[in-house]
Amino acid sequence: MSPDRRQESALIPGTLPSQRQLGDIARHFISLVIVGVLIGVACLPLNLVDRIQERLYVLLPTNAASPWTLPGVLVALAPLVVMPVLLLLQRGPWHEGAGSGIPSTMNGLKDPSLLPRAMAAPGTVQRGLLWSIATVAMFPLGREGPVVQFGAAVARACHRRFKGWLPSLTERQMVAIGGGAGLAGGFNTPLLGAVFMLEELTADYAIVTIWPALVISVAAAGLSNIGGQPMFGLGVLNIVTPEWEQLMMAIPVGLVAGVVGGLFNKGLVWLTQRLSTSVRQRPLRTGLYLGGGLSLLALMSWGTSTSDGESLVRQLIEQGMPNPVENESQWLTGFTSLWITVVRVIAPMLALSPGVPGGLIDPSLTFGAVLGYTVCAIAGYSGQLGIGLGLAAGLSGATQLPLVSIIFAWRLAGDQQLFAGVVLAAVLASYTGRLVCRDPVYHGLSKLKRQSAPRR
């Protein structure tokens, strides 16, 4: 009897598994845990690099009590120097590491012949190094691209090396599971790994992949937590709002965030396509322009346009909207919120469009949180309610992944008490974002990658 048939017979009601079947199940479970731990280990260096941004963010004058200092100015000007270097490396010795990592993984899942190159160790390591340099330079990008790539590559390597220990899973299934588990290991979000695999990578709701994905994701997230990644990465929202008020505010937050998220999606794909030739032919000049743009936005936004945005969201949760001017009027506060939203949309587009490895989850969460905070403040509601609704709505509007967005927002901000509002805001934002841009952002970027691939 094959291993699959033995495991199936052990689950038939009225039958008792034999000692051999129990041994097979135990071995399968242990193998999945080991894969998850290895994915967590692979993501750990990226998590450690990400914390550098928190130390550098405090050097920036995001409020009136912290004026510009020389270290802060140097942090703001870092992209002007680093962006040209990154584009030169991506064009030359580290060309295999260019790009987010998620589009290449998705293309490999659609066409398995692309997997060996997409999951190759040199390109995976190069992507991690490029992302680390950009992160230390305070580029406004997230890390889900590299962690998904790392998770998928580790899972594929384990499957090829120890295929006999994972008989019920194909290579394609393991790559998809590993990609989702990379998110779990990068953000300490165990359930998110399985949901991202189902909603974005495979659209295959099969029990043969769901429970292995959960086991691997829990193991990866557990190691992430041991490594210092907090349970609620952005903090906890200390607010309880009646459901009818949540639903009432979820409508404007979801619609506005959906429009902004859809424009962000459309703009990023468009700018990536427009810059592809320039990045390839004139990397130094293009890098100076883009890096200069990022530095200018940082100086004009008191540093709030920099980094992945997590520090800004924590600041919103703990202190409210950053005020660059003391005792400013209400209309100036509103203008400040609007300006920070604009720069938090534009800056990630400048950082990601030339192919710098990174992700758009953190940037989307951030502009969504600022938007939600602003909408609720205008309507006379708590800014924390707006943050909870906006986190999910911003990400859902940009990615068109409502389930992923809901779970991500809950895990990062501990806002399960806002269940009704968060669900409605995420669904509205996803539909609205789809009206603005038909293709989800990662699908649009994967199409560009396939179109730019060399013809054989």
Side-chain angles (χ1 to χ4, degrees), residues 22-97:
L22 288 174
D24 289 340
I25 293 173
R27 185 176 68 174
H28 192 45
F29 180 82
I30 293 171
S31 301
L32 296 174
V33 172
I34 292 174
V35 173
V37 169
L38 291 176
I39 291 174
V41 170
C43 294
L44 186 59
L46 302 180
N47 295 344
L48 295 175
V49 171
D50 187 68
R51 295 179 195 169
I52 297 175
Q53 290 191 339
E54 299 176 17
R55 298 177 179 270
L56 295 176
Y57 189 78
V58 299
L59 301 175
L60 300 167
T62 56
N63 54 60
S66 302
W68 279 107
T69 61
L70 179 59
V73 172
L74 293 177
V75 169
L77 294 179
L80 181 61
V81 177
V82 174
M83 180 66 87
V85 175
L86 290 176
L87 298 192
L88 287 172
L89 288 173
Q90 290 177 190
R91 181 191 179 189
W94 291 359
H95 63 278
E96 293 290 343

Side-chain angles (χ1 to χ4, degrees), residues 41 77 82 108 125 205 251 307 344 356 358 393 419 451:
V41 170
L77 294 179
V82 174
V125 173
Y205 292 82
I251 295 173
S307 75
R344 287 305 318 185
V356 175
F419 180 88
Q451 292 169 3

Side-chain angles (χ1 to χ4, degrees), residues 19 110 119 130 138 160 192 261 266 297 309 333 338 342 364 367 378 384 386 403 411 453 455:
Q19 186 175 1
K110 291 179 180 178
M119 301 291 108
L130 289 167
M138 296 292 280
R160 292 176 63 83
L192 180 66
K266 199 166 189 174
L297 288 176
T333 301
L338 179 61
V342 170
S364 303
F367 70 66
I378 292 173
Q384 292 214 345
L403 289 178
R411 185 63 173 180
R455 303 290 182 182

